Each structure stands twice: as structure tokens, then as C-alpha cells.
């Protein structure tokens, strides 16, 4: 198949679509470290998690051995509504850059949630429904995850309660309104609807909220309402499992045309997109069947892999959730205002953290004005208006393609284009008007946060 | 092929994509009436149009005979970036409605402009570039056409000057910002940059502008700047020719699976989407080779087909453009505030007007709250958040499917889903909050506008 002409966009036939999620943990020699009980520092047992998470999802979370999880038919039916996502050959970008590199991107933005988040949202909603639950709760910052979960819950007739960071709720009314189209209730956080919300409001009147606080509220509502569980859109092992559909599809499409990538690039916030995209390729690498250079791209303002430490830390700023071993900047780290809302998490997926620590992948950090420069360059030739998060991967893909131009190497680059920027036009406006800055935390600041890590 | 299993989404292979646009005028026994010079009432000659439009586009505009126009390779290359658009089987909607009808929709929203407008924008930009022009001017209301043209001009390196109705410029800053990503200059209209703009501002200080005024400014800038021409996104014959790519793709996809539609439905503002979608089917109908029920759907607030008259009228409210024979409400008709910005035009494509007058298609009008009800119902089961314009077609598709449920008929319904509603969340918000009304013009009001039609 090597010489078959490569179309602009490779769409799999329905019959070629993945039948299973791939669990990369099965091929890891060093497994990701277990979640710890924040009180006892003992590994969390399934029964301890059962009040918070759905049963089947707990099983997936703790399963380091099963390599392939068949995707239930109901989820595959939903996937058919917006998948396969196209693997696009960036012919126009290559032409513009005059590079010998061959650039492909897996575009996950062609659905109403505008990102890859829907891949895991529908899975989590499905297992909640199957367990006979009434509904789920979650938090959302920028709103992509909340939107995805609203769509998934609407499809399965589940109630969906979203706690949205107050500043986003007010500044992104359109995201909120999309969630309402799908029947979700959206509450600005902190709110008067929970104990923790009332406590925070009493202590910090006028606060605009934080993701950590919204998590605490969503968890409280889940555990105190019969028939409800809490769901999360990134970081967790189960999320990376569901998101492996991105990578499995990518690999099937590449294999169909005999294409072998040299470099695979993805943006990394909590790790859901990058972990999903790279999973089958990482599997081959772990098994010694192939080699790829894998690059995680993070914002210079929130550099958990490149400047964090690998240690046990809280998953939330409220410090009520289990401890996870991960690359972290410290659970109370608040990045400077940047416009990649999905990349502002203080930690990183424990799976990716372990793989990075073991040397199986690289990480680079980039400044946001450089990111928007790449975003606009990409939009103008490839048509798609990318999300700020996704544009981190574009930046590094362009940088690598330009290196190829210097060296003359015809490398094949694959990157993940996680979503569209239609709800991020305020950020583009700031960029156009020269009002965007590139604040990077100092070593001293990072050290101060590190000093407050829990002692495990 | 009759019994081949129908996938959720039919994507054509690149090799199956249309090689030509289909000109339905070639099969019309009664041709659409010619444009008239507003001074002499004589048919416009090519040389009279040459200062305003590109030469090749004038040829296409006046050509009632050539059945097939090969699509230039450069345009086909651009089409490959976002086409083929999927023809989707609405399995989930059918299930929800419990109808025996089979429902398909051709989804044109999966590109950054968010609608089908890009199909003609890229063609018009191509011919402008080929003619060696520096740039083009246009007006935009809701912003879909302006966005599409910005993308097309960016691709070919043309300057793009957009006059955006001031109220939209201020209320839809995100649309404006998308155009700036693609390098367009966007000016709120009326502006101080043109004679006509200054005149209007002097006469009506504080005006929020109108499409008619923006057209006048864009035309003035085109004719007074060497190397510039004016382009338009709907109504014109050339636009319907380019948009035929929607219908030709749809027909290829249906034929591939042996599907024969009974009813074809599209929303109709100026007619670009409906005219494009139905063109090859209408061709078969005109040639007596097949029969289809074709339904144009318009807002009850702007009912040009269902309550207008078939007469010569001005294309713009400024009354400087040629006269076109069309179904019209009168060039100075201003519809009540409704949220389908793309369906607020006072007239209708001369081609569609003639076909409607000859009895080849039906038209219905629908009220906007009913439209948003259908939009939300659709979004919740099919995932896609539709544009208000597109939702007019959804409304009638659902109505027809429910009739099938009553009669037990297994009709096949195809409708055009022209775009996404990501920039229309203010309208959804009004709908959710019960603040949306359904103003319908009275017979007396319409008669008053009719009385001011030009005497031809």
C-alpha cells in the first residue's frame, strides 16, 4: 500500500472503526503508581471509590492488565454520529512552510462539544446509565468538558449537574448556553447549593471561583445525592483508556496507507488527548516493535512536565480527592491568566507521568503568543480555526517541520488537533490587539509551591 | 445496491467527488428573467456589469444554457479541505420520533465559516485572483458569508474588505474576530470610509445600519478602487451554480446506496443553499426523469415566497443595484427582529422564483419559536447544534416525518443542514428564557411595501 495516493483526509469506513479501547498500562513494565487514600496513604480500594465513581469505571481505573476493552455497542453507535474523525494531510501547511516534512493531524473538533472530550463523556455516561443511576455531576472550567458531558447525558437521558467556575460562567455565557441546549443544569461555582460552596463564599466573598472549588462542589453533590456519581474529563486512567479511540483510529488510518510516523505530537493539560493519541504507538514502543519520538507540549505558564516534580500530590486544589503520583507543580498552583483553559491543570496523568519519567516521551513548553502565531498561520492555510489548547501542538509541529527544512529530512509528523476555537475569540482578539502576554513562573515561585507538597 | 447497509454518515471518496457544477437553468423551459438596468429597464449587458463583478462570474451569471461547468482544479483542491460534506442518516432522530420515515441530512457546517457559504466564496475568490485583481469587497450581516469570503481570500492571497452591518459588528464581535484571523478588514457600516456611508450617517446619526446600506458601501468601494470587484453570497445565479456542489454530492451519495428521496427540504433566504441542494434533483424533475416533492422553508417573519409577489424589484434596499424579477416583499421591507440572520432577505433567487412560479416546488413558512423547539430536539439526539437558519429545514423535516407516522408511509426525506449555531447562542438563550416572540407581518403591512415596488 506504500505508494497509494494519500488523500487530503483519511476517513475510515464504519467497518474499519475501532472495536476496542487500548489500555497502554498493560504494556508498561513500570505501572503507574496507585491512587492513595489522603488520610491513610494506603492504595485506594474499589469500595472506597464506589460512592464517588461508577462501578465499571472504577474497574477500568484500577485495571493495569487488560490490554483491550471491547467498546460497548451503544457507545460505538454514538461514536458513529461524529466519528471517525478525519486524519488530515496538511498539504497546504507543508506547501506554505516549504518543508520536506509530511504533516498529518487527527482532527477531533468536528462535533458540537468542539473537542475530543466527547469520547470519554459518552463512555462515562453510558456506564452511569447502565448502573441505573439518575445522573452525574462534574466541574468545568473553559466549558469543553461540561459541554461534552451534557451532550452525552442528553443522549442517555441522564441528569447532568455542571459546576462551572464562576469567572468562566460569566465570561463564557455561550458555552453555558450550549450546555443548557442539552438540558444540563449549570451552576456558577462557588455556589450556595453546597456546604463547601457556602463555606468558601463566607470566607472569600466575591471570589470568582476555581477548578478546585468546583470539583469539591461536584463531588459533594454526587456523594450526598442517591443515584448520582461524580465524573471527570481528564487525568484519570479510565479517561485515557476511552481516549485511546483517537490513537487506534489514527493507527488504522496510517496503516491503511502504509504511513509510518517519525514524530507524534500532542498538547498536554491533564493528558487526556495526548494519552489517547499516542497509546497504540506507545504500546508498540513499549513492546519494542517500533520507535517513535513522542512530544508532549505544555504552556510555559503551566509547565508540569518540564518544570514540575514527580511526586504524590492532591488532584484538586481543595485537597479532598485521593493522592496521585504525577508530575505536578503543587495542588495550589494557579497558573497566570492564559487562554488555553484546558491546559491549566497543576498535574499530569499518572500514566503519562510514569512514561515520561521512564524516558519514553519528551516534553516541551511554549509561550502563548508563539502559540497564537502558529494558530493563525495554520488557520489561514488549513481553514480550521484551532482551539488555543490544540495550537500548542501546531506550534511544535511547525517547529519540527522547519527543522526538517533545514536538514532536508522528510520526516513524517502526526499531531493531535483536539478542537476548534469558536468560543475562544476573546483570546484571538487579545492576540490581534497585542494585549497578550507570556508570563512564565520563576524558579522561586515554583519552589514555594513544591514546598507545600504532601509528605508521602 | 438497494439493500446495502446504510452507514450513519456517507462520505464520498475523493475520486467520487463532483467534477462539475450543474447549471439548472439549462433544463428550465422558462428561464429566469434577466436582470434589468434600473435606469433604462433594459436587460443588463455584460459590459455594464464589468465594473462591479469579475468577468468570469458575469459569464456564469448570464449563461442560461451550459448544463455543466467543470470545477477548476484549484477550487477542487480547496474543496478537499472540508468536502465532501457528510450525508447523515438521522437514525437517532427517527428513533426519537418513532417514525417510519427515513431521514437524511446533508451537513454543510463542518468548516470554520460554519456554513455552506464557503462553496461559493472560494469560487468567487478564485475567479477574482485569476483575473489578476487585488481584492474584493462585500457586505455581511450575521457574518457567515463574510467569514467564508475571508477564508477564501486568505487562501488565494487576495485583499478582502467586509462591510458589516453595525449592529452585528457590535453584537457579534466573535464573528468579526474570526474574519480578522483570516486577515480581512472589517468595517462597521455605515462608515465614514465611503460617500454613501457619510451621507447616511449625516441623515441618520446613530443608525445601526442595514444590509442594504452595507451593500451600497461595498459596491462603492469596489467600483472606485482599481483592482477590486464586489462579490455577493446569495441570490445570484452564479452563487446557485457554485452551490450545486451540495446537491451533486448528495445525489452521488444517494445513488451509491440506491436511495431515492421522496421529499427534499431546504431553508430559503436568498436561495443559495436550497438552490444548490435541489439543483440536480430539480434537473431530473424538469427533464421528466423523476419526481420529488421539494419544499422551501422560510421564516413567517420574512415570507417572500409564501406571501410576496413575483415582480421586478431592487436587490438592495439602497436601490442602486439592477432590478431582478423575483418573489419579493419589497426592497424596503425590514423583517421584525428574528434570529435567522441569513433568512431576512426581502427577495428570493430569480431561479428559485421562476421554478416556484412554475409549480416545481412548494414553500411553507414557520415561526421561530417552533424552529428553535425543533433545533433543540435535533441537537439532543443528533448531537449537532444547528444554526437558526438550518433549523427551519429541521422543523419541516420533523413535521413531514410525523405525518408519515400518522399515515404509516415510509417516505425518504432529505434536508439541508446548512450550518452550526455556535455564534447564535444569544438566540438560544432568548428561547430558553421565554423571551423569543413570533412577530408575523400583517396583510396591510405587506400591501404597503408592495405598493412601493418599481413600475416595470
Amino acid at each position: 500500500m506504500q505508494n497509494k495516493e494519500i488523500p487530503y483526509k483519511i476517513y475510515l469506513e464504519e467497518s474499519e472503526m475501532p472495536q476496542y479501547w487500548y489500555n497502554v498500562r498493560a504494556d508498561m513494565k513500570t505501572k503507574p503508581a496507585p491512587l492513595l487514600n489522603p488520610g491513610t496513604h494506603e492504595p485506594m480500594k474499589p469500595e472506597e471509590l464506589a460512592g464517588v465513581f461508577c462501578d465499571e469505571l472504577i474497574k477500568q481505573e484500577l485495571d493495569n492488565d487488560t490490554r483491550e476493552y471491547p467498546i460497548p455497542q451503544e457507545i460505538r453507535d454514538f461514536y458513529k454520529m461524529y466519528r471517525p474523525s478525519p486524519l488530515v494531510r496538511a498539504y497546504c501547511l507543508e506547501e506554505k512552510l516549504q518543508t520536506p516534512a509530511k504533516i498529518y493531524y487527527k482532527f477531533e473538533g468536528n462535533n458540537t462539544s468542539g473537542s475530543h472530550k466527547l469520547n470519554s463523556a459518552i463512555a462515562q455516561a453510558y456506564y452511569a446509565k447502565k448502573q441505573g443511576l439518575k445522573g452525574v455531576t462534574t466541574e468545568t472550567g473553559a466549558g469543553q468538558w461540561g459541554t461534552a458531558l451534557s451532550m452525552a447525558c442528553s443522549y442517555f437521558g441522564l441528569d447532568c449537574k455542571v459546576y462551572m467556575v464562576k469567572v468562566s460562567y460569566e465570561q463564557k455565557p455561550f458555552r453555558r448556553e450550549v450546555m443548557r441546549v442539552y438540558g444540563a443544569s449549570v451552576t456558577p461555582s462557588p455556589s450556595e447549593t453546597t456546604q463547601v460552596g457556602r463555606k468558601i463564599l463566607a470566607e472569600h466573598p466575591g471570589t470568582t471561583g476555581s477548578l478546585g472549588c468546583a470539583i469539591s462542589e461536584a463531588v459533594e453533590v454526587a456523594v450526598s445525592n442517591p443515584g448520582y456519581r461524580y465524573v471527570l474529563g481528564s487525568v484519570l486512567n479510565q479517561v485515557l483508556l476511552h481516549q485511546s479511540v483517537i490513537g487506534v483510529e489514527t493507527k488504522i488510518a496510517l496503516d491503511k496507507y502504509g504511513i509510518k510516523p517519525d514524530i507524534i505530537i500532542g498538547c498536554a493539560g491533564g493528558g487526556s488527548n495526548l494519552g489517547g493519541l499516542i497509546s497504540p504507538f506507545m504500546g508498540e514502543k513499549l513492546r519494542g516493535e517500533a520507535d517513535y519520538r513522542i512530544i508532549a507540549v505544555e504552556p510555559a505558564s503551566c509547565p508540569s512536565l518540564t518544570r514540575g516534580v514527580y511526586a504524590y500530590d492532591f488532584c484538586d486544589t481543595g485537597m479532598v480527592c485521593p493522592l496521585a503520583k504525577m508530575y505536578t507543580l503543587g495542588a495550589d498552583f494557579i497558573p497566570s491568566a492564559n487562554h488555553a483553559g484546558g491546559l491549566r491543570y497543576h498535574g499530569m496523568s499518572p500514566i503519562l507521568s510514569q512514561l515520561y519519567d521512564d524516558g519514553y516521551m519528551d516534553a516541551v513548553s511554549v509561550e502563548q503568543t508563539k502559540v497564537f502565531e502558529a494558530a493563525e498561520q495554520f488557520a489561514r492555510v488549513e481553514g480550521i480555526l484551532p482551539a488555543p489548547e490544540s495550537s500548542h501542538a501546531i506550534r511544535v509541529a511547525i517547529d519540527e517541520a522547519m527543522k526538517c527544512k533545514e536538514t532536508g529530512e522528510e520526516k513524517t509528523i502526526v499531531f493531535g488537533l483536539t478542537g476548534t476555537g469558536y468560543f475562544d475569540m476573546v483570546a484571538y482578539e487579545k492576540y490581534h490587539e497585542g494585549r497578550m502576554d507570556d508570563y512564565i513562573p520563576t524558579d522561586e515561585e515554583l519552589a514555594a509551591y513544591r514546598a507545600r507538597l504532601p509528605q508521602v
Side-chain angles (χ1 to χ4, degrees), chain A:
Chain A
M1 296 268 231
Q2 195 66 44
N3 292 318
K4 200 165 163 181
E5 199 188 338
I6 313 292
Y8 272 60
K9 290 180 297 187
I10 307 176
Y11 279 111
L12 300 184
E13 302 279 333
E14 266 180 27
S15 59
E16 298 169 316
M17 283 172 67
Q19 310 283 310
Y20 63 90
W21 292 308
Y22 166 66
N23 182 6
V24 73
R25 286 167 284 166
D27 286 308
M28 291 169 70
K29 279 174 213 89
T30 312
K31 306 295 182 188
L35 296 173
L36 299 187
N37 181 305
T40 65
H41 291 186
E42 291 296 313
M44 291 291 285
K45 298 192 186 70
E47 54 272 26
E48 292 178 290
L49 293 167
V52 181
F53 294 126
C54 303
D55 298 343
E56 180 66 26
L57 294 169
I58 294 169
K59 191 175 148 240
Q60 294 177 4
E61 188 64 29
L62 302 177
D63 180 354
N64 286 337
D65 304 308
T66 309
R67 182 175 277 115
E68 295 185 356
Y69 268 83
I71 306 174
Q73 185 61 47
E74 291 86 343
I75 298 174
R76 285 168 50 206
D77 284 346
F78 188 88
Y79 280 170
K80 283 182 196 168
M81 290 207 295
Y82 70 100
R83 308 199 68 82
S85 71
L87 180 70
V88 186
R89 173 74 183 268
Y91 282 117
C92 298
L93 181 62
E94 292 171 17
E95 169 76 19
K96 177 79 182 175
L97 300 177
Q98 290 286 305
T99 174
K102 292 171 182 62
I103 308 174
Y104 296 84
Y105 55 93
K106 180 71 167 169
F107 178 44
E108 292 287 319
N110 268 348
N111 69 73
T112 292
S113 80
S115 82
H116 67 292
K117 294 282 183 185
L118 198 51
N119 300 328
S120 184
I122 193 65
Q124 297 195 46
Y126 167 77
Y127 291 115
K129 182 73 181 176
K130 202 176 161 205
Q131 196 175 323
L133 299 175
K134 279 189 216 158
V136 293
T137 70
T138 199
E139 77 293 331
T140 200
Q144 288 171 326
W145 166 247
T147 308
L149 189 67
S150 305
M151 292 175 66
C153 287
S154 164
Y155 183 75
F156 283 125
L158 282 170
D159 186 37
C160 180
K161 296 185 195 298
V162 180
Y163 284 82
M164 187 168 187
V165 177
K166 190 181 277 177
V167 61
S168 298
Y169 182 89
E170 285 164 0
Q171 289 182 354
K172 296 200 164 193
F174 295 165
R175 278 273 187 211
R176 180 189 76 203
E177 212 51 44
V178 176
M179 289 184 252
R180 286 168 70 179
V181 168
Y182 290 95
S185 76
V186 188
T187 307
S189 170
S191 74
E192 296 283 351
T193 68
T194 64
Q195 282 186 352
V196 63
R198 288 189 293 272
K199 183 161 175 285
I200 292 168
L201 283 170
E203 287 168 7
H204 306 91
T207 176
T208 55
S210 72
L211 211 51
C213 169
I215 293 177
S216 304
E217 290 202 86
V219 170
E220 179 184 321
V221 173
V223 298
S224 56
N225 281 281
Y228 282 79
R229 292 295 184 280
Y230 168 72
V231 297
L232 185 65
S234 193
V235 184
L236 297 175
N237 297 341
Q238 59 187 268
V239 176
L240 266 70
L241 176 68
H242 308 147
Q243 293 294 358
S244 71
V245 70
I246 305 171
V248 176
E249 263 187 25
T250 302
K251 183 140 178 32
I252 293 170
L254 290 172
D255 287 349
K256 188 171 170 181
Y257 289 91
I259 305 159
K260 199 89 186 159
D262 298 293
I263 306 175
I264 303 170
I265 301 167
C267 62
S272 69
N273 147 67
L274 179 70
L277 172 65
I278 66 173
S279 58
F281 304 96
M282 183 60 82
E284 289 186 299
K285 190 164 174 169
L286 289 166
R287 297 191 300 272
E289 297 165 9
D291 196 20
Y292 306 101
R293 182 165 176 229
I294 293 171
I295 309 176
V297 189
E298 55 186 17
S301 58
C302 190
S304 56
L305 287 172
T306 50
R307 298 177 68 200
V309 289
Y310 190 34
Y312 268 104
D313 194 7
F314 287 95
C315 293
D316 60 326
T317 36
M319 302 185 183
V320 297
C321 291
L323 299 170
K325 190 176 176 192
M326 55 186 179
Y327 274 84
T328 180
L329 297 163
D332 58 351
F333 176 81
I334 305 282
S336 68
N338 78 60
H339 296 286
L343 305 182
R344 304 187 68 202
Y345 189 63
H346 67 276
M348 181 56 65
S349 141
I351 293 174
L352 293 184
S353 292
Q354 186 63 50
L355 290 167
Y356 178 62
D357 203 56
D358 288 341
Y360 287 105
M361 52 185 249
D362 298 337
V364 297
S365 73
V366 290
E367 297 174 13
Q368 69 175 346
T369 51
K370 295 281 179 200
V371 166
F372 276 83
E373 182 187 288
E376 193 156 286
Q377 188 174 16
F378 179 83
R380 290 188 180 187
V381 291
E382 290 289 321
I384 297 166
L385 182 80
E389 292 85 352
S390 326
S391 304
H392 285 68
I394 297 174
R395 171 75 274 161
V396 174
I398 289 175
D399 291 345
E400 291 294 328
M402 294 310 286
K403 285 182 203 164
C404 289
K405 186 175 177 175
E406 279 173 33
T407 62
E409 288 173 290
E410 289 188 30
K411 285 187 182 167
T412 295
I413 299 168
V414 174
F415 72 91
L417 189 71
T418 55
T420 48
Y422 305 136
F423 293 93
D424 299 288
M425 297 317 299
V426 168
Y428 277 95
E429 188 174 20
K430 276 195 183 164
Y431 171 70
H432 289 144
E433 295 176 357
R435 294 188 287 115
M436 181 174 279
D437 52 27
D438 284 320
Y439 182 76
I440 301 171
T442 63
D443 288 340
E444 291 69 28
E445 284 175 272
L446 293 183
Y449 289 112
R450 255 200 310 270
R452 294 197 288 276
L453 283 174
Q455 300 300 315
V456 179

